[in-house]
């Protein structure tokens, strides 16, 4: 078996090991159910921002797309978004009667011990849950298959399913993405750079109650120097986190069904890649409302 | 085959590297509402009363019963159900100890009167508040903790009393549970 055939069959093996759908609810989901619909927005918003930024990363590492000829590559891409201090607290509303209207409470990335507000006038106190995730970089990883070239166009598919982690604290996940890029430079006479444009749609389901959707539309440019390729791009993107559960909070209607928009709507990407035979190594930085990095290794021809 | 194994290991390592950042021992704050509604019989008897016993273990989501770190109350509210042309004067008790007195026109309580909101229709009793705090401090052993919430009082005004009236006492509390 040739090397690229081994790679493809290995990737297919990985894609086939999706976890079963029947399982107990994770602690993340049970914890979210303790929040009212209003309070959970602040608690979970950073994860909407980071998942959105991660999902739309790593889509490309070159803008060079030949007009014809068979192309197949499999990439394993890791992404990470920077978690700052401002992502660790939010203003949680207090029940009516407290002298303040809100207090600083931990987000899902905040202090694990939670926070308690004590009213200076009445000594009445009100608490909020602590953070579940402790990290300075919020990661995601996914295999990506790219097939072309059809009139200067490549199609990309990404998929991964992970089981519940840390003794069911974090639920199982399923990520699916599909996109296409088309060569623009093929229409230009002797362009100094390779230029392409692309679109990608992603969905990411976390457990039974979290559902992310993302869309990215952008333009890419790259320039190759022997084995080195410098690339970059601009993209408009949108991501939405849908959250649906039955709340146990007394200050909430039982059914919570909300949508949160990811913070990142514009992305500027700068990166570099090395091509060594069938292998590619690449890494890039993405700047927008959320700073994000991605990188990986690819095999293809 | 080696290539498949290497690819598999890289991918699973990347995909699950988030597991190391899941906090051990994070606090989940769970609402613990204790609410009792006491029906008032229709007819000429203007007095009412009733009680309800709570096993705290049954009031806390099972996931969070085992490692309770703290508990607190933040409000006690009195409200009424139904329409009555007159006033109500009563007392709410916790484990038989006066928790608060409430008094006012029936219609005043159509909107819940809140201790936290410094309602003029509610007068807290220190002994009852201390009993409530003592009960909450007895957690983290909810299995052995019961609470009896009761209320009695009288109506004045419209007679006979129409059907469908009740007085509700709600203690709003929270427990902090540690999840390992």
């Amino acid at each position: 078996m040739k090397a690229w055939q081994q790679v493809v069959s290995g990737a297919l093996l990985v894609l086939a090991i999706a976890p079963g759908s029947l399982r107990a609810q994770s602690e993340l989901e049970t914890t979210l159910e303790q929040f009212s619909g209003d309070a959970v927005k602040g608690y979970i918003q950073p994860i909407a921002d980071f998942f959105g930024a991660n999902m739309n990363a790593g889509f490309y590492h070159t803008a060079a797309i030949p007009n014809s000829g068979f192309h197949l590559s499999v990439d394993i891409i890791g992404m990470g978004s920077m978690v700052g201090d401002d992502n660790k607290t939010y203003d949680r509303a207090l029940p009516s009667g407290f002298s303040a209207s809100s207090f600083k409470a931990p987000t899902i990335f905040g202090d694990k011990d939670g926070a308690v507000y004590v009213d200076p006038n009445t000594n009445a106190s009100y608490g909020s849950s602590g953070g579940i995730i402790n990290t300075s970089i919020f990661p995601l990883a996914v295999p990506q298959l790219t097939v072309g070239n059809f009139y200067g166009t490549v199609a990309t598919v990404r998929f991964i399913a992970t089981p519940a982690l840390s003794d069911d604290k974090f639920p199982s996940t399923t990520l699916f993405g599909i996109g296409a890029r088309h060569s623009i430079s093929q229409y230009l006479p002797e362009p100094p750079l390779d230029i392409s444009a692309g679109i990608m749609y992603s969905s990411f389901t976390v457990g039974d109650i979290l559902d992310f959707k993302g869309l990215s539309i952008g333009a890419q440019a790259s320039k190759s120097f022997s084995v080195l390729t410098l690339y970059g791009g601009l993209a408009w993107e949108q991501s939405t986190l849908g959250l649906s559960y039955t709340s146990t909070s007394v200050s909430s209607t039982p059914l919570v069904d909300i949508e949160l928009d990811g913070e990142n709507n514009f992305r500027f990407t700068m990166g570099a890649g090395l091509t060594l035979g069938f292998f590619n190594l690449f890494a890039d930085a993405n700047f927008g409302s959320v700073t994000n990095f991605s990188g990986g290794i690819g095999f293809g021809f | 085959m080696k290539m498949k194994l290497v690819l598999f290991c890289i991918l699973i390592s990347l995909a699950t590297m988030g597991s190391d950042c899941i906090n051990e021992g994070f606090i989940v704050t769970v609402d613990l509402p204790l609410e009792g509604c006491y029906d008032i019989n229709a007819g000429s008897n203007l007095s009412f009363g009733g009680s309800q016993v709570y096993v705290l273990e049954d009031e806390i989501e099972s996931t969070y019963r085992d490692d309770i770190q703290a508990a607190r109350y933040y409000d006690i509210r009195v409200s009424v159900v139904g329409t009555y042309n007159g006033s109500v004067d009563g007392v709410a008790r916790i484990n038989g100890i006066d928790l608060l007195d409430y008094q006012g026109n029936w219609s005043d309580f159509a909107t819940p009167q809140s201790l936290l909101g410094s309602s003029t229709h509610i007068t807290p009793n220190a002994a009852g508040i201390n009993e409530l705090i003592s009960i909450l401090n007895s957690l983290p052993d909810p299995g052995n903790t019961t609470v009896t919430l009761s209320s009695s009082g009288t109506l004045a005004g419209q007679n006979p009393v129409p059907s469908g009236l009740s007085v509700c006492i709600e203690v709003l509390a929270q427990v902090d549970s540690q999840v390992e």
Side-chain angles (χ1 to χ4, degrees):
Chain A
M1 188 181 286
K2 293 178 180 177
W4 71 268
Q5 290 173 313
Q6 290 181 323
V7 169
V8 172
S9 60
L12 292 174
L13 170 71
V14 170
L15 301 186
I17 54 167
S21 58
L22 292 176
R23 53 165 194 78
Q25 208 170 32
S26 71
E27 287 178 0
L28 169 65
E29 293 163 288
T30 310
T31 299
L32 293 179
E33 287 174 355
Q34 310 309 312
F35 283 86
S36 67
D38 287 336
V40 79
K41 290 178 185 175
Y43 186 76
I44 202 82
Q45 180 67 52
I47 215 168
D49 298 336
F50 298 144
F51 267 126
N54 281 347
M55 279 196 309
N56 290 323
F59 181 32
Y60 61 91
H61 37 91
T62 177
I65 305 172
N67 184 263
S68 61
F70 185 62
H71 167 78
L72 177 69
S73 62
V74 176
D75 302 325
I76 299 173
I77 303 167
M79 309 88 154
S81 293
M82 305 301 291
V83 181
D85 286 343
D86 57 339
N87 302 121
K88 294 181 178 177
T89 61
Y90 72 106
D91 292 322
R92 176 160 186 178
L94 284 160
S96 62
F98 279 96
S99 57
S101 60
S102 66
F103 71 114
K104 290 289 181 192
T107 68
I108 194 168
F109 292 100
D111 185 347
K112 70 174 185 174
D113 293 329
V116 177
Y117 174 80
V118 179
D119 193 294
N121 299 331
T122 63
N123 283 328
S125 56
Y126 190 76
S128 189
S129 295
I132 298 177
I133 301 171
N134 177 22
T135 184
S136 55
I137 298 178
F138 187 68
L140 186 66
V142 65
Q144 178 168 286
L145 179 71
T146 300
V147 181
N149 304 302
F150 185 72
Y151 292 103
T153 303
V154 291
T156 298
V157 177
R158 48 173 63 172
F159 176 84
I160 191 168
T162 63
L165 304 174
S166 287
D167 298 328
D168 281 344
K169 282 192 176 67
F170 199 83
S172 61
T173 67
T174 303
L175 186 154
F176 171 76
I178 187 166
R181 289 186 301 119
H182 183 72
S183 171
I184 302 298
S185 44
Q186 67 177 324
Y187 304 112
L188 306 175
E190 299 182 14
L193 301 170
D194 291 308
I195 302 170
S196 62
I199 181 170
M200 179 144 199
Y201 168 81
S202 303
S203 74
F204 191 24
T205 304
V206 180
D208 296 327
I209 66 175
L210 293 165
D211 187 21
F212 297 84
K213 301 271 189 274
L215 180 67
S216 175
I217 300 172
Q220 305 89 42
S222 69
K223 181 76 174 177
S224 293
F225 306 92
S226 182
V227 297
L228 174 69
T229 300
L230 301 178
Y231 64 94
L234 297 171
W236 169 88
E237 63 189 44
Q238 184 182 48
S239 62
T240 304
L241 163 61
L243 187 58
S244 180
Y245 63 93
T246 302
S247 172
T248 63
S249 170
V250 296
S251 57
S252 177
T253 53
L255 185 60
V256 174
D257 190 2
I258 57 175
E259 284 197 344
L260 300 174
D261 291 331
E263 190 180 13
N264 224 35
N265 290 120
F266 182 78
R267 175 188 299 256
F268 171 60
T269 301
M270 291 175 59
L274 283 175
T275 302
L276 306 168
F278 287 122
F279 292 86
N280 284 300
L281 292 171
F282 49 90
D284 53 57
N286 300 269
F287 304 99
S289 298
V290 176
T291 302
N292 173 280
F293 300 94
S294 74
I297 184 169
F299 313 85
F301 62 95
Chain B
M1 190 62 197
K2 279 183 180 177
M3 180 66 82
K4 280 190 274 191
L5 284 174
V6 169
L7 183 64
F8 176 81
C9 291
I10 290 172
L11 193 54
I12 293 302
S13 300
L14 284 168
T16 59
M17 63 189 177
S19 65
D20 289 338
C21 44
I22 304 294
N23 278 325
E24 289 292 327
F26 62 89
I27 294 293
V28 177
T29 301
V30 183
D31 283 337
L32 174 60
L34 303 174
E35 184 179 26
C37 287
Y38 311 102
D39 294 339
I40 302 173
N41 293 327
S44 59
N45 185 357
L46 298 179
S47 298
F48 65 89
S51 67
Q52 194 161 347
V53 178
Y54 302 88
V55 178
L56 289 187
E57 186 177 49
D58 296 340
E59 307 300 321
I60 300 170
E61 160 75 40
S62 59
T63 309
Y64 303 116
R65 288 175 192 158
D66 293 338
D67 198 356
I68 294 172
Q69 300 291 304
R72 68 188 73 85
Y73 83 97
Y74 62 91
D75 202 2
I76 304 171
R77 294 172 185 169
V78 182
S79 61
V80 296
V81 176
T83 303
Y84 179 72
N85 185 18
S87 62
V88 59
D89 188 347
V91 59
R93 299 182 185 87
I94 186 164
N95 289 347
I97 301 170
D98 288 1
L99 180 62
L100 55 80
D101 297 318
Y102 53 92
Q103 192 278 327
N105 290 326
W106 182 269
S107 58
D108 294 332
F109 293 92
T111 301
Q113 296 298 303
S114 160
L115 184 66
L116 180 63
S118 302
S119 167
T120 55
H121 299 292
I122 293 177
T123 306
N125 182 292
I129 297 294
N130 287 338
E131 175 65 9
L132 173 59
I133 293 170
S134 173
I135 291 165
L136 293 174
N137 286 341
S138 74
L139 301 171
D141 190 13
N144 293 331
T145 304
T146 60
V147 178
T148 302
L149 208 56
S150 60
S151 184
S152 62
T154 57
L155 303 181
Q158 185 181 354
N159 195 351
V161 175
S163 62
L165 302 186
S166 56
V167 172
C168 298
I169 312 296
E170 187 179 22
V171 176
L172 296 172
Q174 296 178 308
V175 296
D176 291 340
S177 177
Q178 190 170 50
V179 177
E180 296 294 344

